[in-house]
Amino acid sequence: MKKLFIPALFLLSSLPALADEGQWQPHQLLQLKAELKKVGITIPAEKLADLSKHPMSAIVSTGGCSASFVSPEGLIVTNHHCAYDAIQRNSSAKKNYIVDGFLAKTRAEELPAGASTRVYITDKVDNVSKELGLGLSAAMTGRERREQIQSNIKKIIAECEQDKAYRCSVPSFHRGLEYYRIRQMMIRDVRLVYAPADMIGNYGGDIDNFEWPRHTGDFSFLRAYVGKDGRPAEPSPDNVPYQSKDFLVVSAEGLKNGDPILLAGYPGRTSRYKLPAEIRFARDTDYPLRAAEMLADIATIAAATQAKPEDEVRYASVVKGINNRLKKTQGLIAGFARKDIAAIKDQTDAQFRLWLAGKDAQKAPDLLKQLDTVIAQDMALSQEEFAFSVASNSDLLSSARTLYRLAIEKEKPNAERESGYQERDVGFIKARLSRLEQSFVSAVDQARLTAGLARYAKLTVHPAALDVLLPNPATVAAMFGKTQLHNTAQRLAWMEQNRAAFTQTDDAFIQLAVQLHEVGMSLENRRKEIDGNLDFIIPQYMEAMIAWKKSQGKPVYPDANSTLRVTFGNVGAYAPRDGVTKGPFTTVEGIVEKHTGNEPFIAPAPLLQAIKEKRYGVFKDKVLATVPVDFLSSADTTGGNSGSAVMNKRGELVGLNFDSTYESITKDWYFDTAITRAIHVDIRYMLWVMKEVDHADNVLKELTIKYPK
Amino acid sequence: MKKLFIPALFLLSSLPALADEGQWQPHQLLQLKAELKKVGITIPAEKLADLSKHPMSAIVSTGGCSASFVSPEGLIVTNHHCAYDAIQRNSSAKKNYIVDGFLAKTRAEELPAGASTRVYITDKVDNVSKELGLGLSAAMTGRERREQIQSNIKKIIAECEQDKAYRCSVPSFHRGLEYYRIRQMMIRDVRLVYAPADMIGNYGGDIDNFEWPRHTGDFSFLRAYVGKDGRPAEPSPDNVPYQSKDFLVVSAEGLKNGDPILLAGYPGRTSRYKLPAEIRFARDTDYPLRAAEMLADIATIAAATQAKPEDEVRYASVVKGINNRLKKTQGLIAGFARKDIAAIKDQTDAQFRLWLAGKDAQKAPDLLKQLDTVIAQDMALSQEEFAFSVASNSDLLSSARTLYRLAIEKEKPNAERESGYQERDVGFIKARLSRLEQSFVSAVDQARLTAGLARYAKLTVHPAALDVLLPNPATVAAMFGKTQLHNTAQRLAWMEQNRAAFTQTDDAFIQLAVQLHEVGMSLENRRKEIDGNLDFIIPQYMEAMIAWKKSQGKPVYPDANSTLRVTFGNVGAYAPRDGVTKGPFTTVEGIVEKHTGNEPFIAPAPLLQAIKEKRYGVFKDKVLATVPVDFLSSADTTGGNSGSAVMNKRGELVGLNFDSTYESITKDWYFDTAITRAIHVDIRYMLWVMKEVDHADNVLKELTIKYPK
């Protein structure tokens, strides 16, 4: 009979704030030296803030996911789900790399990842705020302001992209208070090096998505290739591996509970500074509508692909995407129900308004009134935009609308074209229009459009003038007989046509796109007017907000906007409810526990065998006495952080971020320190799978691994 | 940003055996000195083994539940659900003590707990094995042996009960290897002193039953009264509080994670020494049949009481009882599915048989063959018995059968009557027949009998000759018009009738009871034959089993049989699955978390207010920084242990046992050390409710409480 030595297990519920809020711009870390030290990070803030220095110089984006260099030869590690497109496009019934995994034993065996997989290396970030936002005249209309900002941005980008090796962008920070020009080297030749089998990389599938306990080995390896001159080049067999300036050393020592972690990547979007009214709109109107829409769309696809396994496979990743957004939306709804975030924000908002009134009794009421008015307009318009999207739920229609818009924009000089339709964008449009063939079936698209039109009819808010332009659901079937857009070559050929060709064709979907164009433009112009007004009001609001926080000694990080950010925290468990503790680690034994032999819980036999034989070797954790699989930390992450490097206090790679717990979903709106946890795959599990299951010896050899003493 | 200090939280899954198997007879503790010391119990084994000494002298039974004296004036503490009958019988629409709770501010206000609430104080335990079991001739038939044993037991009991203050029993231990005569003082005047409101005492209701996290304040206080001479007496206003020789001191210091605990009470029944074939029968046949039967019966009652709130209330505790057994049965089925206990037992069984063959090559095969044969007969007969119970699912029919049997038995001299129908049993029969009026409605009983007959028709195993004797379901309604048994006075009047009155009456239910009597006797006699054979074989098997265990240095505790047992262990959490830890404590904050305002999660307003104001006082745990509600330990418990005193290493009361976790349910068959946890209410919560919510100052004053320094 043994005594229990778990002395402080039940501490959790009573501890104050554990998790670590903040998706910091690297340069902000200079203000956070004390916090970094407290958490236990030993890399100097000065080094972390410098994008040209290790480790930030090793952190890259794949345009939607985060990743990092792990060898001087351009080897990149990211999530399995981030490399999924690359794995899928190389798979066939005969060689199914999704099911079997893929390993290139030599460079020559590495497979092209496809046009949609690119690697972006951020190399320069410059503050360009004074040319934008608050720098503009207050007298403009919203739309004038918006167009002026867009025009200025396009100019800055065009100048920045004169060197064709780079992709530039000018995102706004603090909702328009600041703008930074981001210059990224864009590598277009990316190849698949190694991916474990789906039953490792996606173990637990959609059932475990957003859940803990988790046992997913969500990792893959890619390699960046460049021309012989070392500069980005079109994919070519002549290209050579990119010589990465820096790369992350891998620590096979891993982490233990409570250890500090550092996480760097490209978080997509958060809404931490929204007003209470916006939260209530999302909670009571927007999210419920969107959740219902996604549920209905999934049901339509399921019905249309039933008993047609090939069609089902074509829509698998579409459904996966919708399911992922649906679960997130449902999690938001559940989270809002669990905790009254709007009420919490009410308090902060009231305190802020009080402070502001005290600071500037003259200007404050007017600013706040304007703010509330524009926010109300913004929410009202978004309902119309949503309705439009429900009514046009068809990939053919979307393609047709993109093509027609491109033809119109091409009539203007490049610099004046709408952003997204400039010469620099044409390659992306082409890639998107091409890729459609992988996930399109006419009958399914027809079912989705028909069902969407029926749902649109039931919505209470409709955009003006749209109803009469929409096809009668009864005529939709006939339209699919009168189009060639489902043919990829024909679809791409329209990229070269002029406006007249569109207005004169008898292609039913091109006709519909032409027909809907004016309503679409009207929505877009109203959006510009409102956004332009927001561009004027919100920066003033955020400026005051930052001053208020500064008066309390608190630095302010901007909402996520797909730019490089750093967050830090600790490995840690959490209490989803009184009397229950989750995490911080799962172990390989949990894989066996979940294995049912039915999708998505089919672990590969060699993996089960290795666990049965306890072939843990150097990857065995001393405390757990087995190999850890996934772990939780208090890092502040969101969508886009998938694949982010999780580093120890010395900046060595110890895991990859890939998800958050269900209870954390509302963190996009409010960071609840007690329950917010990000989910990471442990580097020891990755290395163990590579060694014991997949025998990826060449990849292991290429990594620089620090083994425990 | 705070660091986490939960260093060993994830240790659980990797630790060896934590929980502490063994429901020990007190005298066995003398063999367990080393184990007691290891766990941290400081009371000497010699003291614990002595029923006349503290603390065992304070431990009592209420006949179905466990309890303990907590003052020198006969004050007893047990579970709320154990005192439920006593609370219910004193409640009315006007004074609903279930809803409002009850507190007697003076002795005079204490309420009679009713005839079914008694207090049993075990005072003498003597080994009488040599007159029974293996002491009998091997030449007898099973039935002869069974009847001889019963007859010997009746003689021992009669002799023992010559002093009317005592109730005696001769339970078998190790399935007939040993018999002990247990003498208990039986106190018949018990009164209700204090019970919290149902929404404290049964917070979480059936939803939380068998679940963790738990927030139930499952406690109540009773008082034992005796005649002025200090001896048990019929309930009377002249009685005086029983002067309890010993009582438990209460420690308001409570426990922390890992602390040793000692638990004493009256566990009902376990099946730890069953054969693999018996486990498979229970798993594959018996439990699934019983679960289906209970589900169907609950559905029948629900349909018959729908929209009739008064009828629903009458059957509330019947349904509660069935639900409780159902959840336990479902838990057993789920547990058997989760872990192949039969396969584990196969291994032990094979090892044992090998050892036995080596020990006694001549006798072993014959013994094992006989064993397997009788066990097979036992399982087959139990299916017929089950079918009979399905066909006779009516309280009126059960009453009629009991009454007819009583009339027949009364024809014999008292000593020769079947056990259960002797003079000593008549009071209990009367109490049972009287109590029926609280939970009986003719229309509901009719629905249950009709539905039961329909289900019986579908069973594959029927007792011989029964089918033709059963009423046609279509005639059941008419039978309820031709009976007076629903009238309590009439029902009790039949206790005085002779056999002829039964055979001549036109009461439809008496007629049916007479009609079914022979089939019932035939089943009973076959049961005696098989049990008598088991009484011969099993003791030999257990004797060999004990010798085998002894050869490995392991003492053997007998299966639970409602006699006084001691178990010990530690406060501790458990991991229901990889990556999740449950317990060991819940806190008052969890009550608020669960409170929805809908049954069964309506916490009383004063309780919520006290939590809101954090009026924790001396009951605040230093580590949790709040008041703990329930906690888990590794003690070995089962049904009957409800209300058992949970004591600290010094034998001071720190909680009451009231349940086990869902994952623990299979412990009745196999004690899985990793996941088995008992659920206790923390003494600090009890005292806090008494002080802050119910203001039970007089009860608090009567207790001897050691407050933390």
mmCIF file of all heavy atoms in Angstrom, chain B residues 106 221 322 348 437 445 451 467 675 698:
data_model
loop_
_atom_site.group_PDB
_atom_site.id
_atom_site.type_symbol
_atom_site.label_atom_id
_atom_site.label_comp_id
_atom_site.label_asym_id
_atom_site.label_seq_id
_atom_site.Cartn_x
_atom_site.Cartn_y
_atom_site.Cartn_z
ATOM 1 N N THR B 106 -34.689 21.140 20.401
ATOM 2 C CA THR B 106 -34.643 20.504 21.730
ATOM 3 C C THR B 106 -34.922 19.015 21.559
ATOM 4 O O THR B 106 -35.420 18.583 20.515
ATOM 5 C CB THR B 106 -35.734 21.070 22.658
ATOM 6 O OG1 THR B 106 -37.012 20.730 22.086
ATOM 7 C CG2 THR B 106 -35.629 22.582 22.781
ATOM 8 N N PHE B 221 -28.558 13.542 11.159
ATOM 9 C CA PHE B 221 -28.348 13.098 12.535
ATOM 10 C C PHE B 221 -29.614 12.449 13.098
ATOM 11 O O PHE B 221 -30.721 12.968 12.924
ATOM 12 C CB PHE B 221 -27.944 14.283 13.430
ATOM 13 C CG PHE B 221 -26.549 14.770 13.177
ATOM 14 C CD1 PHE B 221 -26.274 15.674 12.158
ATOM 15 C CD2 PHE B 221 -25.491 14.308 13.961
ATOM 16 C CE1 PHE B 221 -24.979 16.117 11.934
ATOM 17 C CE2 PHE B 221 -24.187 14.747 13.733
ATOM 18 C CZ PHE B 221 -23.928 15.657 12.715
ATOM 19 N N ILE B 322 -34.837 1.904 -8.083
ATOM 20 C CA ILE B 322 -34.574 1.163 -9.327
ATOM 21 C C ILE B 322 -33.480 1.865 -10.126
ATOM 22 O O ILE B 322 -32.557 1.222 -10.642
ATOM 23 C CB ILE B 322 -35.859 1.037 -10.192
ATOM 24 C CG1 ILE B 322 -36.981 0.355 -9.401
ATOM 25 C CG2 ILE B 322 -35.560 0.236 -11.463
ATOM 26 C CD1 ILE B 322 -38.328 0.341 -10.132
ATOM 27 N N THR B 348 -5.590 -15.912 -12.842
ATOM 28 C CA THR B 348 -5.493 -16.290 -11.431
ATOM 29 C C THR B 348 -6.028 -17.704 -11.247
ATOM 30 O O THR B 348 -5.429 -18.534 -10.550
ATOM 31 C CB THR B 348 -6.345 -15.345 -10.547
ATOM 32 O OG1 THR B 348 -6.312 -14.058 -11.112
ATOM 33 C CG2 THR B 348 -5.859 -15.333 -9.136
ATOM 34 N N GLU B 437 -48.169 1.326 1.977
ATOM 35 C CA GLU B 437 -49.172 2.358 1.686
ATOM 36 C C GLU B 437 -48.542 3.677 1.252
ATOM 37 O O GLU B 437 -49.178 4.473 0.574
ATOM 38 C CB GLU B 437 -50.103 2.581 2.893
ATOM 39 C CG GLU B 437 -49.413 3.186 4.090
ATOM 40 C CD GLU B 437 -50.321 3.237 5.331
ATOM 41 O OE1 GLU B 437 -51.393 2.620 5.303
ATOM 42 O OE2 GLU B 437 -49.918 3.884 6.315
ATOM 43 N N ASP B 445 -49.562 -0.342 -9.981
ATOM 44 C CA ASP B 445 -49.232 -1.749 -9.722
ATOM 45 C C ASP B 445 -49.797 -2.634 -10.839
ATOM 46 O O ASP B 445 -49.137 -3.569 -11.295
ATOM 47 C CB ASP B 445 -49.799 -2.167 -8.357
ATOM 48 C CG ASP B 445 -49.070 -3.372 -7.776
ATOM 49 O OD1 ASP B 445 -47.810 -3.359 -7.779
ATOM 50 O OD2 ASP B 445 -49.738 -4.341 -7.360
ATOM 51 N N ALA B 451 -47.335 -5.312 -17.634
ATOM 52 C CA ALA B 451 -46.129 -5.182 -18.463
ATOM 53 C C ALA B 451 -45.130 -6.297 -18.155
ATOM 54 O O ALA B 451 -44.469 -6.829 -19.047
ATOM 55 C CB ALA B 451 -45.499 -3.811 -18.252
ATOM 56 N N ASP B 467 -46.083 -21.159 -16.634
ATOM 57 C CA ASP B 467 -46.839 -20.424 -17.664
ATOM 58 C C ASP B 467 -48.360 -20.569 -17.514
ATOM 59 O O ASP B 467 -49.094 -19.579 -17.573
ATOM 60 C CB ASP B 467 -46.416 -20.872 -19.067
ATOM 61 C CG ASP B 467 -44.966 -20.491 -19.363
ATOM 62 O OD1 ASP B 467 -44.229 -20.153 -18.388
ATOM 63 O OD2 ASP B 467 -44.548 -20.538 -20.533
ATOM 64 N N ILE B 675 -8.025 2.760 -10.340
ATOM 65 C CA ILE B 675 -9.172 3.659 -10.545
ATOM 66 C C ILE B 675 -10.239 3.602 -9.458
ATOM 67 O O ILE B 675 -11.176 4.390 -9.480
ATOM 68 C CB ILE B 675 -9.868 3.389 -11.898
ATOM 69 C CG1 ILE B 675 -10.283 1.915 -12.005
ATOM 70 C CG2 ILE B 675 -8.989 3.798 -13.065
ATOM 71 C CD1 ILE B 675 -11.323 1.685 -13.078
ATOM 72 N N ASN B 698 -27.359 23.783 18.397
ATOM 73 C CA ASN B 698 -27.486 22.782 19.467
ATOM 74 C C ASN B 698 -26.778 21.481 19.096
ATOM 75 O O ASN B 698 -26.152 20.848 19.942
ATOM 76 C CB ASN B 698 -28.963 22.536 19.791
ATOM 77 C CG ASN B 698 -29.782 22.185 18.557
ATOM 78 O OD1 ASN B 698 -29.603 22.773 17.489
ATOM 79 N ND2 ASN B 698 -30.668 21.213 18.695
#
